[in-house]
Amino acid sequence: MTQSAPRPRPKIDDVAAEAGVSRGTVSRVLNGGHWVSPSALAAVNAAIKKTGYRVNPHARNLATNRANSVAFLLTETQERLFEDPNFAVLMRGAADALAVHDIPLVLIMAGTDDEQRRATDFLTAGHVDGVLLISSHGSRKGIIADIISAGVPAIACGAPLGFEKKMGYVAADDYEGARDVLRYLRDGGRQRIATIAGPADTSGGTRRLEAYRDDQGADIDEELIAQGDYSRDSGAKAMRELLGRTKNIDAVFAANDLMALGAMDVLREAGLTIPGDVAVVGFDDISTSQEAAPPLTTVRQPFDRISEEMVRLLLDVISGKRPAAVTIPTELVIRESA
């Protein structure tokens, strides 16, 4: 008993013959459908379905000089990836937005010098079509400069400090979000408002602290400012510093939710009630904020929209358009902590 020979893989010529159009028309349909009449487009799509034709991604990538993938570049340590849920939300949103275009997302960690070197080599070697830069730090300018000098299309999450004119970005309105918090606390009668600032080499850290300083005005008390690195432990450490060096704090604005949760841990240890003695407000609206005791008042960043806008702007840059910047409004979410 002999087995029949396997059926040969359908080719573009087979689709063209089935649809009754030229090979070039089929190629234009496969590359976006530009300059193709509606009737020809319908005929080609029907022929593709009937013949079972599938695009050979390797051949298409060679023909278009495209890698057909996008990098999700996280310039943080692996520990931060798992500690901060915002990164997972952004990555999932970006992956979903790219899936519509049948483009895979590749995660690349670059939290150490060695990781940044390897990431730079990979990105500038043409292995991806573009980069979504997450958590850019001004102190890590090398990898950003290399991406720009190599001409790799890239969009940052938050303004890339020092490169705002050279790289497009999508950012939440950090300044106005922070001012909303401070107005809310003052309207609620809070007078001694302290802040736990984020990293000074990030756009979020600088803009939220700038809003705090503008709110305090000329009478600002530097003893009410402590520094954190966006981790929960740093928020706890900063809160201990604040309690140790100044009195009568009645509110704390932390530059992100994880630091706010760390501050709440320390306030409870010190026997202070929240919000009775000290009101606490964060920034981000991570899922655990609702589960805190008491639930955390915070500023919601629309991470789903941020990731969608980042993908949209990146695909524009990949197609040859100039980089753009988008700022998205935030929302104050009032819960029991303030």
Side-chain angles (χ1 to χ4, degrees), residues 136 156-164 167-171 174 201-204:
S136 61
C157 181
L161 298 181
F163 299 95
E164 294 92 338
M167 181 180 289
Y169 61 89
V170 179
D174 297 294
D201 65 345
T202 64
S203 59

Side-chain angles (χ1 to χ4, degrees), residues 106-294:
V106 181
L107 170 63
I108 299 178
M109 302 295 299
T112 67
D113 290 342
D114 284 342
E115 288 178 343
Q116 289 186 39
R117 174 182 54 79
R118 289 192 292 269
T120 299
D121 291 344
F122 182 85
L123 297 172
T124 57
H127 296 302
V128 297
D129 295 323
V131 178
L132 298 172
L133 176 61
I134 310 300
S135 189
S136 61
H137 289 258
S139 59
R140 300 172 187 164
K141 293 183 177 180
I143 190 170
I144 302 177
D146 289 338
I147 289 171
I148 293 173
S149 64
V152 180
I155 296 293
C157 181
L161 298 181
F163 299 95
E164 294 92 338
K165 301 297 184 181
K166 297 182 178 180
M167 181 180 289
Y169 61 89
V170 179
D173 195 338
D174 297 294
Y175 183 89
E176 285 302 323
R179 289 303 298 262
D180 287 343
V181 168
L182 297 162
R183 281 190 288 266
Y184 171 72
L185 290 172
R186 292 201 179 283
D187 289 345
R190 307 291 174 164
Q191 299 296 320
R192 292 276 291 171
I193 305 172
T195 189
I196 301 176
D201 65 345
T202 64
S203 59
T206 57
R207 291 292 283 164
R208 294 166 205 175
L209 180 57
E210 180 184 355
Y212 176 83
R213 289 187 176 279
D214 288 349
D215 174 81
Q216 297 288 295
D219 297 329
I220 188 169
D221 182 354
E222 296 292 336
E223 293 292 300
L224 291 173
I225 301 174
Q227 194 76 40
D229 64 7
Y230 284 150
S231 68
R232 186 165 185 156
D233 287 344
S234 75
K237 179 181 178 182
M239 192 69 248
R240 292 189 186 96
E241 292 176 1
L242 289 168
L243 292 177
R245 69 188 185 206
T246 187
K247 304 297 182 185
N248 302 321
I249 295 174
D250 59 11
V252 176
F253 166 48
N256 81 334
D257 287 353
L258 286 175
M259 293 194 300
L261 295 174
M264 291 171 67
D265 294 338
V266 172
L267 290 170
R268 283 191 294 266
E269 291 171 3
L272 298 170
T273 61
I274 307 168
D277 295 319
V278 182
V280 180
V281 182
F283 204 107
D284 284 343
D285 195 26
I286 61 177
S287 58
T288 51
S289 297
Q290 301 179 49
E291 303 163 7

